[in-house]
């Protein structure tokens, strides 16, 4: 048969060839999706953020040639990094830089699992924020994995959630104060104000307290019925606080060996179940009633709903400096599913994810 005659195949043969060709493409796509190389299809690519510059009144963080990473004039921010929450982390970074007067004085200290792809994380951050001052610290979770008790939501059992317990060991000794932030939040105010929170003469950390919350619910009946354990808070006015936003004096933390104190409670939890809610209760056991106060505007938390259904919630009364989607529902997940809560639109402007359409264009 000549090449010319191939053009004039009978209709039924023509349809047959088209079906075979379509089947070939479907099989090829299926194989590509299941092959190891296809893991790159889950790779998130982010847009480059605008460049932000210091205002003329900002102090220099380079004093007498000292290492900028150790500068006391800088605002040091600590966050965790992982692929599941990377989109949230990028939005949080963007919001911090956009709303501060001295963005070039912000130094980020990222903690990532020792098994994570640090090269890819560094590349991703540097691509979106070329001038960002940051360091990534490997976190070996093997020491804490055996101490984690199952909680009411599996996401709370991730070993990286417990990295905040070890910040004083991971971050350079020259850094005294750090602002710890979760990845599911955005700031709409200058983080320097939060970083300057007075800690008084003795407090190790500062955070917004919520004394109207039912504090007893964070611990089991076994805890409260034990004559010794129930006296844990006897000499202090213990209130709930959210560990997703904290100002921490790392020097005082190290001096008091507070990592050890938190671990001791986690070890007890493995023997006697005294709480249900992940990494929060050990912090409450050690610090509740002993922290410096922070205005509630700095943690409008709970916007992700509860830990079970993640339903929509409204803001707490009062001014807002920080929006925090703690709880099950995350704004990027709800936006992608086209089922956003009303307040999720406040997170969307900080989303740097590059869409497939933008990639093609």
């Amino acid at each position: 048969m000549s090449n010319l005659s191939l053009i004039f195949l009978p209709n039924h043969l023509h349809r047959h060839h088209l079906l075979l060709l379509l089947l070939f493409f479907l099989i090829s796509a299926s194989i590509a999706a299941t092959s190891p190389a296809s893991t790159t299809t889950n790779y998130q690519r982010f847009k480059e953020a605008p460049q932000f510059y210091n205002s003329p009144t900002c102090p220099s963080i380079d004093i007498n040639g000292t290492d900028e990473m150790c500068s006391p004039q800088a605002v040091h921010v600590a966050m965790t990094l992982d692929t599941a929450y990377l989109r949230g982390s990028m939005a949080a970074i963007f919001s911090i830089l956009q709303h501060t007067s001295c963005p070039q004085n912000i130094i980020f200290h990222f903690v990532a699992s020792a098994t994570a792809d640090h090269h890819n994380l560094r590349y991703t951050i540097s691509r979106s924020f070329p001038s960002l001052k940051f360091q990534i610290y490997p976190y070996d979770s093997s020491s804490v994995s055996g101490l984690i008790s199952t909680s009411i939501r599996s996401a709370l059992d991730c070993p990286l959630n417990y990295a905040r317990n070890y910040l004083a060991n991971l971050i350079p000794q020259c850094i005294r104060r750090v602002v710890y932030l979760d990845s599911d939040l955005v700031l709409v105010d200058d983080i320097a104000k939060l970083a300057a929170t007075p800690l008084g003469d003795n407090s190790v950390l500062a955070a917004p307290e919520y004394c109207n919350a039912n504090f007893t619910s964070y611990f089991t009946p076994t805890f409260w019925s034990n004559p010794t354990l129930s006296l844990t808070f006897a000499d202090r006015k213990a209130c709930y606080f959210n560990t997703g936003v904290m100002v921490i004096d790392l020097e005082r933390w190290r001096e008091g060996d507070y990592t050890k104190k938190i671990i001791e409670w986690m070890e007890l939890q493995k023997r006697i179940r005294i709480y249900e809610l992940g990494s929060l209760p050990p912090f409450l056991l050690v610090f509740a009633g002993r922290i410096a106060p922070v205005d509630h505007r700095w943690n409008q938390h709970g916007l992700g709903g509860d830990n079970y259904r993640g339903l929509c919630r409204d803001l707490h009364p009062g001014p807002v400096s920080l929006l925090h989607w703690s709880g099950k529902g995350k704004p990027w997940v709800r936006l992608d599913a086209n089922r956003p809560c009303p307040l999720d639109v406040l997170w969307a402007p900080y989303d740097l994810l590059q869409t497939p359409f933008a990639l093609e264009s």
Side-chain angles (χ1 to χ4, degrees), residues 43-99:
Y43 172 68
Q44 295 175 307
R45 190 172 184 182
F46 299 90
K47 297 175 286 189
E48 182 176 336
Q51 178 70 37
F52 298 101
Y53 299 94
N54 282 356
S55 67
T57 58
C58 294
S60 172
I61 62 174
D62 184 11
I63 303 174
N64 299 326
T66 57
D67 184 2
E68 284 186 340
M69 294 298 290
C70 295
S71 173
Q73 300 295 327
V75 172
H76 295 275
V77 179
M79 300 176 67
T80 58
L81 281 182
D82 68 341
T83 54
Y85 282 82
L86 185 57
R87 188 172 169 187
S89 301
M90 299 293 280
I93 297 167
F94 185 20
S95 72
I96 292 168
L97 297 176
Q98 181 169 326
H99 293 287

Side-chain angles (χ1 to χ4, degrees), residues 302-314 325-329 334 341-342:
L303 303 185
D306 57 29
N307 283 302
Y308 296 98
R309 292 181 293 173
L311 300 178
C312 298
R313 284 186 178 174
D314 294 328
W325 279 262
S326 58
K328 185 176 181 180
R334 297 193 293 215
C341 291

